[in-house]
Amino acid sequence: MFNAASSLSAETLAIVSTNKGLTTASSQQAGSVLNVGHLTGSTTSGNVLVGSAVNNIGTLDALVVTGGDLRVTNGSTLKIGSSNAAIGAIASEVTANNITLASKSVTIAGDVVTAGTLDFTINGTIQRTSGRFVVGTLTGSAQTLADFGTASVITNLGSISVVGSQLAIDNSVPITVSGPLSLEYFRISAATQITLSGDITTTGITAAGQGLSGNLSLINPTALAGALPATGSYFQVTDAGSGATFTQIGTVNLVPLNGTIATLRIQLPQSGGSIVLNDLNAPSADLVLFTQGGTARGTVNAAALILVGRSGAAEFNGLIDGLGGAAAASKAQIGPEPNATYRFNSCPIGSVNCVLAPISTVPPTNPLRNISIGAVRSVQDDSDLTLPNVSDEDY
């Protein structure tokens, strides 16, 4: 075991251990501090524990912990992964059973691999720019941004809190969101399958901010689907075509952040798929569903429901704006046009008294323009009138 009993400063600290790993600032060495440009190395058993909030580690690089956990507490900005020839790194990878990071800000530029949990506590931002990101369960908190880049491989998304900005995850495999999530905005996309089982506290972008207000018959679903807002709160299932699924299980509460109205968007691929909502309790939230040519069903209680779909179907039950029955169906909205296959409480969405009015076509010109009612006589010209003969004599 390597114990740092006092402050240690170095450009590079390499750990090579086959037994007890590395411990600094443990209960036995409370005053230990690392001032290290690069922390690298490997252990074959035991944990790597780098404690003390005043540590100043620049980069974790090629740090492989086999059979143990990695826990790092840092008082400065931390980078994970770099191709630094000076330390002879054979791979820019940080690996451990579980990883715990506490730091000012973190940039991930190399591979991070853990079959267990990666838990982060970041006073600024955590942002991934390159490398593989393979994590069993992701949990943690950040003050301004948590962006895990593209093609991540996260199996489960646990408790996440982002105070001042958003969470961004683009997953290349199915993901389970067990939560709870508490953040102003989130953008979570995953291939094939998203399963939601945890509560969500968020704000999101309003329907009007997404171009979904006023006359929904004027919207272009394809254009809107291809241009998701840069910010907002949404789940997007990608790939898999008609096999793509979004499934909510158990009872999930969707509540607004800071007393506002929350807006959540759930989106399927344009080729179709399915949305299944088991019991989504969102009386103070607007729900936007992009089903495209797919299907949607389930039980919801929402402040508003906007559904965008053309050739699929929907069958929901529940409340909209506190209303049930046919009133809920009339309160809900659908675009680009009403369709009897999209129903709420067994009534077509957008119908009145459960009756779907036909779409009226506005004539291209005034229909009275070509109707003739004869010549119009001027009331000021009487020259063509014959006066009656009222005289007693002929002249």
Side-chain angles (χ1 to χ4, degrees), residues 115-347:
T117 297
L118 189 156
D119 181 72
F120 59 92
T121 303
I122 309 300
N123 293 328
T125 67
I126 179 167
Q127 190 166 16
R128 172 173 161 254
T129 59
S130 59
R132 294 187 304 141
F133 191 75
V134 183
V135 173
T137 296
L138 181 67
T139 64
S141 64
Q143 289 294 316
T144 54
L145 176 66
D147 186 348
F148 293 94
T150 61
S152 56
V153 180
I154 304 168
T155 302
N156 178 61
L157 187 62
S159 177
I160 300 285
S161 173
V162 180
V163 177
S165 181
Q166 65 180 320
L167 168 72
I169 293 175
D170 177 10
N171 225 39
S172 61
V173 298
I175 191 170
T176 296
V177 181
S178 57
L181 305 182
S182 179
L183 14 78
E184 188 172 3
Y185 308 115
F186 67 86
R187 296 180 289 121
I188 298 174
S189 65
T192 309
Q193 169 79 38
I194 295 177
T195 303
L196 173 65
S197 62
D199 293 344
I200 299 174
T201 302
T202 191
T203 300
I205 296 297
T206 64
Q210 299 181 43
L212 297 169
S213 62
N215 188 354
L216 294 184
S217 66
L218 301 178
I219 67 172
N220 184 331
T222 301
L224 287 175
L228 285 166
T231 59
S233 295
Y234 64 78
F235 293 107
Q236 181 186 25
V237 185
T238 61
D239 303 329
S242 60
T245 57
F246 178 93
T247 304
Q248 177 251 311
I249 58 177
T251 298
V252 169
N253 297 300
L254 173 60
V255 298
L257 188 68
N258 301 324
T260 59
I261 292 292
T263 303
L264 173 64
R265 177 166 167 168
I266 302 174
Q267 183 144 336
L268 295 175
Q270 293 189 40
S271 52
S274 65
I275 295 174
V276 179
L277 304 179
N278 179 70
D279 186 6
L280 183 60
N281 184 41
S284 298
D286 296 342
L287 189 61
V288 177
L289 304 180
F290 264 72
T291 64
Q292 319 283 17
T295 63
R297 60 183 173 86
T299 302
V300 300
N301 176 12
L305 172 66
I306 297 175
L307 194 148
V308 179
R310 285 184 180 274
S311 56
E315 190 65 55
F316 285 107
N317 296 293
L319 303 174
I320 300 296
D321 197 23
L323 302 173
S330 64
K331 194 73 174 180
Q333 297 175 272
I334 186 170
E337 64 270 331
N339 188 323
T341 62
Y342 294 86
R343 305 173 71 83
F344 199 99
N345 291 338
S346 300
C347 294

Side-chain angles (χ1 to χ4, degrees), residues 39-99:
L39 181 61
T40 184
S42 64
T43 69
T44 56
S45 67
N47 300 324
V48 174
L49 314 175
V50 185
S52 178
V54 295
N55 280 330
N56 182 21
I57 303 169
T59 300
L60 299 180
D61 196 9
L63 181 56
V64 177
V65 182
T66 302
D69 297 342
L70 170 64
R71 295 199 289 271
V72 177
T73 302
N74 210 43
S76 59
T77 298
L78 179 68
K79 184 177 181 180
I80 298 177
S82 69
S83 297
N84 192 307
I87 61 174
I90 59 173
S92 183
E93 178 174 288
V94 173
T95 303
N97 284 358
N98 298 283
I99 300 174

Side-chain angles (χ1 to χ4, degrees), residues 7-18:
S7 298
L8 185 152
S9 298
E11 174 57 30
T12 299
L13 175 62
I15 308 164
V16 179
S17 172
T18 59

